[in-house]
Amino acid sequence: MVLWLLPVAHASADAHASAGASVYPLTVTNCGREVSFQSAPESIVTIGQSATEILYALGLADKVKGTSVWFNPVLPQFRDADAGIERIADNDPSFEAVVSKKPDLVAVQYELHVGPAASVASRDQFNELGISTYVMPADCDGKDNNATGGDGTRTAAFSSASIYKGITELARIFDVQDKGKALVADLQAREAGAIAHAARLELPEDLTAVFWFSSPELSTDPFVAGRLGAPGYMMDKLGIRNVIQSDEEWPTVGWESIAKADPDVIVVARMERRRYPADDVDAKLEFLRSDPVTREMTAVKRGHIVEMDAHAMSATMRTFFGLEVLADALSTMSFEQ
């Protein structure tokens, strides 16, 4: 397993001196709503691993009172801090479990959990209790989460700027701007490094790929990445064409159609979550190698299968780590006919 390391922010008396202190009351426009803060929140509950890890990376673990919605273990440098924080739920928490922690702020990864048709609660429900909500911009900027099912449809291609925006705004809300700038600078350097690495490989111009997240059953149509989400961004930056051209975030597409497109590379999600049989990466690999349709695909025959952290396939801080994993994997492959 790849271990991704980030700089860990530590509190200090002059932590925000060079960036300038936040001025309260502070108002930010977040996913179409204005959210105001009279001061930096003191108590946070997170619904979504992305929000949790960004807050940890900003040195705010001491303010997090509960977490939920986990795909994989927390990044290694945050294990000690996370161990002392209650995990309210591995998957979707109840509204009651969240509000019982009496948070000032609920930080959210997906609008499907806290939004207009949310599985946990609407933002208005939290607001009625005096609890602010912040949804990571990567899940709403250039995206319609009410169009097609829970995962939504992209109206514009995912941009890494939406990740940096979320980090910067959270740093501003909590008055830790220097930590936010340092984190963004580190991720930008990694993003640029992975892109440069792939460019040096001189990959074929017609290289293609598909990203398989999971499937309700191994025998049914899989959830694969549409062209405009985080996997689409990875492929675009590394010069790869996605064989799936849907604007949906995670459409279901039949294996016969995927096999007909015959991608050069198959990227499969690795996760600890076990909602579906195909959440298990070993089950995915066994299916690809044994199914009469998939085993004839070029990528399967040539071993061009890449395992990637499922959380990196979502629009999160880990997307940049996924970019690195894909670039590194491509460097080991031969595409000569």
Side-chain angles (χ1 to χ4, degrees):
M1 181 178 292
V2 177
L3 298 181
W4 294 307
L5 299 178
L6 290 168
V8 181
H10 299 282
S12 64
D14 59 351
H16 56 263
S18 65
S22 296
V23 176
Y24 301 96
L26 173 67
T27 300
V28 298
T29 301
N30 172 241
C31 295
R33 294 176 66 113
E34 287 194 347
V35 185
S36 296
F37 300 90
Q38 297 302 312
S39 59
E42 291 296 327
S43 176
I44 317 161
V45 169
T46 59
I47 303 176
Q49 188 169 350
S50 175
T52 305
E53 291 187 332
I54 287 175
L55 290 167
Y56 289 171
L58 292 174
L60 298 167
D62 62 323
K63 295 180 181 291
V64 179
K65 307 306 178 186
T67 70
S68 57
V69 187
W70 289 86
F71 288 94
N72 274 325
V74 71
L75 290 170
Q77 66 269 40
F78 304 137
R79 283 175 187 154
D80 289 345
D82 182 69
I85 298 170
E86 181 181 353
R87 183 173 293 195
I88 297 173
D90 289 330
N91 295 303
D92 298 8
S94 68
F95 178 58
E96 293 76 12
V98 175
V99 300
S100 71
K101 307 303 292 184
K102 299 181 180 178
D104 301 320
L105 173 68
V106 175
V108 183
Q109 178 174 343
Y110 299 116
E111 272 198 317
L112 68 87
H113 290 128
V114 177
S119 63
V120 177
S122 69
R123 300 184 77 171
D124 286 338
Q125 285 176 280
F126 282 110
N127 190 56
E128 288 169 2
L129 297 178
I131 301 170
S132 299
T133 54
Y134 181 87
V135 180
M136 300 309 297
D139 194 56
C140 57
D141 286 2
K143 190 179 176 195
D144 183 352
N145 287 312
N146 300 308
T148 50
D151 291 318
T153 296
R154 290 277 171 183
T155 57
F158 161 78
S159 168
S160 58
S162 64
I163 302 295
Y164 301 137
K165 176 182 176 182
I167 293 169
T168 301
E169 287 186 342
L170 283 172
R172 186 172 166 227
I173 289 167
F174 287 93
D175 198 16
V176 290
Q177 289 92 321
D178 273 6
K179 296 169 186 174
K181 284 187 174 183
L183 179 57
V184 167
D186 177 79
L187 294 173
Q188 286 176 327
R190 299 179 77 152
E191 179 183 21
I195 294 169
H197 182 194
R200 291 191 295 270
L201 299 177
E202 298 182 352
L203 298 167
E205 292 184 2
D206 59 349
L207 197 64
T208 59
V210 66
F211 277 59
W212 178 17
F213 190 83
S214 191
S215 307
E217 297 290 342
L218 282 164
S219 59
T220 61
D221 295 349
F223 296 114
V224 290
R227 67 189 183 96
L228 299 178
Y233 148 86
M234 291 186 222
M235 286 183 267
D236 179 66
K237 291 299 182 183
L238 301 186
I240 305 169
R241 180 176 64 83
N242 188 354
V243 299
I244 307 300
Q245 289 296 295
S246 172
D247 291 351
E248 290 183 43
E249 191 87 345
W250 291 101
T252 54
V253 179
W255 280 114
E256 292 80 4
S257 297
I258 297 170
K260 186 177 180 180
D262 200 22
D264 298 299
V265 178
I266 300 173
V267 184
V268 296
R270 182 186 65 249
M271 69 187 90
E272 287 199 350
R273 189 194 77 170
R274 291 293 182 269
R275 280 189 171 181
Y276 305 125
D279 285 352
D280 186 341
V281 71
D282 290 332
K284 288 189 182 78
L285 296 175
E286 172 61 23
F287 173 83
L288 288 172
R289 293 164 181 159
S290 62
D291 180 81
V293 172
T294 58
R295 70 188 181 195
E296 297 302 322
M297 295 169 66
T298 299
V300 177
K301 287 184 173 181
R302 303 187 72 172
H304 291 175
I305 302 173
V306 181
E307 294 183 31
M308 182 180 291
D309 179 355
H311 199 46
M313 292 188 182
S314 293
T316 70
M317 185 170 65
R318 292 197 188 196
T319 296
F320 306 115
F321 311 153
L323 192 68
E324 292 174 327
V325 165
L326 186 53
D328 288 343
L330 291 170
S331 71
T332 69
M333 297 177 185
S334 172
F335 297 101
E336 295 180 2
Q337 299 299 322

